[in-house]
Amino acid sequence: TGAAPLGRWMAGSPFAVPNPADLAEAFRWSEHRTVTKTALVSLHGNRYQVDPLLSGQRVELVFDPFDLSFLRVRANGQDAGTALPYQISRHSHPKARPETPAELPRPTTGIDYLGLIDTAHTRTVAEKVNYAAFAVDLESDTEPEQ
C-alpha cells in the first residue's frame, strides 16, 4: 500500500465494536450429527429432539460448550430451528473447563476458639470486681464510731 502501518491504522479509526450477540455466536462450537428416524440427535451423552422433517439428514449442531441445554440446528447451511433436550445427563462439554477452579473448603476443628477466649475473659473480669463490697447494709444497727 505504500503507507506506514501506524498511519494506515490511524486512518481507519474509529473501529466498529462487535454486537454482543455476534460475538457470542463467533465463539460457539459446532459438531455434525445424523438425525435418527425418531428425530433425535446425540451430543456428548445427551439426546436432543429436532424437527421430524430432518430425519436421516446430516445436520450441524451449534452450541455453547458451557451450556448444553440449548442447541441451534443447521441443515445445508440454513437455520433449522432449535434442538430441545430429550434426555439430558451432561450439562457442559467434557473439555470445557471453568475459568477459575473452585476453592476447597477448609476443614474445621470443631473448637470455638473465640468462645473459649470470651469465657476465660468473662471469668477473669468477674473475679476482679467485687460488687458486694459496694453494697451498703441499710439494716445494721451499728452506728459509725466517732
Side-chain angles (χ1 to χ4, degrees):
T1 61
L6 181 59
R8 185 169 180 189
W9 173 263
M10 296 306 286
S13 63
F15 298 101
V17 178
N19 184 5
D22 294 337
L23 193 59
E25 183 67 26
F27 286 98
R28 295 198 195 285
W29 293 10
S30 69
E31 293 194 16
H32 294 276
R33 295 289 189 268
T34 302
V35 180
T36 64
K37 61 183 175 180
T38 56
L40 295 176
V41 291
S42 177
L43 179 69
H44 301 292
N46 300 324
R47 293 192 305 176
Y48 300 91
Q49 188 171 6
V50 297
D51 188 7
L53 296 174
L54 299 173
S55 295
Q57 294 184 25
R58 187 148 176 89
V59 295
E60 180 184 14
L61 303 174
V62 181
F63 58 94
D64 178 3
F66 293 102
D67 183 17
L68 294 180
S69 61
F70 179 79
L71 279 72
R72 297 294 300 169
V73 181
R74 292 184 187 148
N76 301 324
Q78 300 291 327
D79 186 39
T82 304
L84 302 174
Y86 182 73
Q87 175 184 355
I88 188 113
S89 59
R90 181 184 302 266
H91 295 282
S92 64
H93 193 280
K95 291 185 180 179
R97 301 284 179 231
E99 293 180 12
T100 56
E103 185 177 322
L104 297 175
R106 295 182 178 158
T108 58
T109 61
I111 300 172
D112 183 14
Y113 290 104
L114 291 178
L116 293 174
I117 292 171
D118 184 45
T119 304
H121 176 70
T122 304
R123 191 177 309 128
T124 305
V125 171
E127 291 172 357
K128 289 184 180 178
V129 179
N130 185 3
Y131 292 104
F134 296 120
V136 178
D137 190 11
L138 300 175
E139 295 182 15
S140 68
D141 293 331
T142 60
E143 293 183 16
E145 295 181 16
Q146 293 181 4

